[in-house]
Amino acid sequence: MRKELHFEKGEFQARLSAVKTAMEKRGIDVLMISEPPNMNYLTGYDAYSYYVPQFVIVSLKHEQPVWIGRFMDRVSAVMTTYLDDQNVHAYEDKYVHSATLSAFDVIAQTVRDLGGEKACIGVELGGYYYSAKAHADLIRALPEARFVDADLLVNWIRVVKSPAELALMRQAGAIADAMMQRAIDVAAPGVRECDIAAAVYYQMAAGTAEFGGSYGCAPPFLCVAERAVAPHAAWTDKPLPKSTTLNLELFGNRLRYQVNLSRSIAVGPPSPAFQNLADVAVEAMNAALDHVRPGLTCSEVESVFRRSLARHGLEKEARLGYSIGLGYPPGAVERTASLRKGDETVLQPGMCFHMMPGLWLDDVGIAITQSFAVTETGHEPLSSTPRKLFVK
C-alpha cells in the first residue's frame, strides 16, 4: 500500500525525539496523545475519525509510536503514517458507541503491551477529544498506573515550524487569499449571504491553480449588518441590502495546515466614522507587525498595538492574536502562545500567529487581520490580501 507522507521520515523522527526528551524531563514513561493535530504531527495520521476513541501512544521504551483506533480506520493509519504495520493497532466495531463495552479496555491492553501497566502515563486532560469518560475508563482499566496531565506537551514543541511546515503555511495563506478574493467578488446588493458562503466553500476546496485545499477547522464566519458586532456569527439566506457591512473570517487549509484571514467589506459607501475605524485598526496592526522580531515577548508586541490604539481613545479587551499551524476542528489555535498583555513567551523564528486586531464595539465591528511567521529579522506575512477596508 502506497504511503501518503507529506514530510520526510527524518522530520517525524526529530519530532518524536523532542517529545521523548520532554517526557523524560517530566518523568513520563508513556504518553497517550488524543488530539488529532498532535497525532498528525508525530505520525502523519490523517482521517476524519476523531469522533471515536483513537490515540497515538509514545513509550520511552518503544522505538516508534503506536497508533490505535477503530478497525475501519486502520487502513488510513497504514496509508498516512510512517509507522511499521505492527505499530498500527485497532479495536473491533462492537466497541463503537456501545452502552456496555469500552474501547478503552482494548486501548489499555496496548498500553500494557508497551510496558505501561505500572507506568507514569501522560494524558491530554485539556484536549478537545479526551473526555471525562475516557479518563475514568482508562483509570479503571489501568489501576496500577499513575496518570498525570501532559496537556500541551506536544503543542509547545510544534509551536516552532520547520521549513517544510512553513512551506505548507504559505500555501494555506494563498488559499485563504483566493477565498477572500472570491467573497469580495461575489458580495453585492441582492446576493444572499448563503451564496457568498457557497462561493467561499468552493474556493476552500479548489484552492489555487497550483494546489488544492481542504476543509477548515471552523466554518467561515460571515457577520453581516447588525451581526457585524458578533465575531463568530453564522450566515443566513437573506440578500445583502444596498448599504451594509460584512466582517468575514476565512480559513485556508493545506494538508491540515491552516492560515486565518479576516477582512471587512462595505457594501455601498462607508460612513466616514467607519472608514476611520478601519484606518485606525490597520495603523495599530501595522505598528505591531513592524515591531515583531525574535527575542521579543508576545506581551511586548501586543503593547505596541495597545498604545497605538489608545492614541485614538480605543482599547481592545481580547487578545491581539494566537499561535496557528496544524489543526483539526474545532480550531487551528495551538493553545500555546497568545499576543496579549502578560504573555512572556519569547518569539522565535518559525513561530506563526494570526494577528487579530478585530474591534467589536457596541454598534459597529471591524475585522482586518494578518497571519504571519516570525523570521530571523522580523516577520513574513502568510497572506497577501491588502490590509484595508474593501468597498463594493
Side-chain angles (χ1 to χ4, degrees):
M1 185 177 295
R2 184 176 63 87
K3 293 283 189 181
E4 299 176 356
L5 297 178
H6 305 307
F7 300 96
E8 297 293 332
K9 187 176 179 180
E11 178 150 346
F12 287 114
Q13 291 172 332
R15 297 171 183 181
L16 178 62
S17 177
V19 167
K20 285 187 173 182
T21 297
M23 289 168 61
E24 288 178 327
K25 289 180 179 179
R26 297 196 194 186
I28 296 172
D29 305 305
V30 175
L31 179 63
M32 301 186 68
I33 298 168
S34 56
E35 285 293 272
N38 292 340
M39 296 173 69
N40 181 298
Y41 181 75
L42 280 181
T43 68
Y45 180 69
D46 184 28
Y48 198 99
S49 58
Y50 34 88
Y51 57 92
V52 295
Q54 60 180 23
F55 287 89
V56 164
I57 304 172
V58 178
S59 170
L60 292 180
K61 298 179 180 179
H62 204 67
E63 181 180 356
Q64 289 187 356
V66 170
W67 178 94
I68 182 167
R70 189 181 188 180
F71 84 100
M72 66 173 58
D73 296 310
R74 186 183 186 280
V75 64
S76 291
V78 172
M79 292 173 64
T80 64
T81 76
Y82 77 93
L83 303 177
D84 297 335
D85 285 357
Q86 66 266 26
N87 293 320
V88 179
H89 298 194
Y91 55 81
E92 297 175 78
D93 195 66
K94 66 183 181 181
Y95 291 98
V96 176
H97 300 154
S98 171
T100 58
L101 300 175
S102 174
F104 296 98
D105 289 328
V106 183
I107 293 166
Q109 183 57 53
T110 296
V111 174
R112 284 191 286 270
D113 293 343
L114 291 172
E117 185 172 7
K118 299 181 180 180
C120 177
I121 300 176
V123 291
E124 296 175 312
L125 285 179
Y128 297 122
Y129 296 97
Y130 188 74
S131 68
K133 179 171 173 53
H135 193 60
D137 281 2
L138 283 173
I139 289 175
R140 173 187 54 75
L142 294 165
E144 296 184 85
R146 180 169 65 91
F147 286 84
V148 298
D149 185 12
D151 191 36
L152 304 184
L153 184 151
V154 179
N155 301 54
W156 276 109
I157 291 171
R158 64 183 178 90
V159 74
V160 175
K161 312 299 181 292
S162 70
E165 289 180 292
L166 288 172
L168 292 181
M169 292 294 285
R170 295 184 189 101
Q171 292 179 357
I175 294 171
D177 284 328
M179 293 169 66
M180 187 61 71
Q181 187 60 56
R182 181 69 172 154
I184 294 168
D185 290 344
V186 170
V191 175
R192 297 183 303 171
E193 296 175 24
C194 55
D195 291 327
I196 300 174
V200 165
Y201 265 108
Y202 170 83
Q203 203 67 53
M204 176 181 68
T208 72
E210 292 76 27
F211 41 79
S214 184
Y215 64 92
C217 299
F221 299 126
L222 277 69
C223 311
V224 183
E226 67 274 6
R227 287 178 287 110
V229 299
H232 305 124
W235 63 84
T236 72
D237 59 359
K238 296 178 181 178
L240 297 182
K242 292 182 178 180
S243 180
T244 191
T245 58
L246 299 79
N247 289 334
L248 291 82
E249 184 171 6
L250 309 179
F251 311 99
N253 195 292
R254 173 65 174 160
L255 302 177
R256 303 315 321 150
Y257 284 79
Q258 182 162 299
V259 166
N260 301 18
L261 175 63
S262 293
R263 287 294 180 271
S264 294
I265 303 173
V267 177
S271 69
F274 189 69
Q275 181 65 66
N276 180 67
L277 182 65
D279 294 342
V280 167
V282 170
E283 175 188 289
M285 176 172 58
N286 287 341
L289 286 168
D290 290 343
H291 200 68
V292 169
R293 62 180 183 274
L296 292 183
T297 66
C298 289
S299 183
E300 288 174 313
V301 171
E302 188 275 344
S303 68
V304 175
F305 174 83
R306 182 160 29 88
R307 290 195 298 270
S308 179
L309 212 58
R311 288 197 291 269
H312 300 276
L314 296 169
E315 62 178 334
K316 176 178 170 67
E317 181 181 356
R319 61 185 172 176
L320 174 61
Y322 40 79
S323 59
I324 58 172
L326 182 62
Y328 286 78
V333 178
E334 291 180 325
R335 298 193 296 128
T336 51
S338 289
L339 301 174
R340 61 157 48 113
K341 184 178 180 179
D343 190 324
E344 298 304 317
T345 302
V346 177
L347 299 183
Q348 301 176 56
M351 287 182 169
C352 296
F353 292 88
H354 180 213
M355 185 175 285
M356 179 46 154
L359 297 173
W360 294 279
L361 309 179
D362 292 339
D363 58 352
V364 68
I366 193 83
I368 303 172
T369 74
Q370 183 65 60
S371 290
F372 67 92
V374 181
T375 68
E376 296 287 346
T377 57
H379 78 281
E380 174 192 351
L382 292 171
S383 60
S384 59
T385 300
R387 296 193 287 267
K388 68 175 186 177
L389 172 66
F390 283 84
V391 179
K392 291 296 297 284

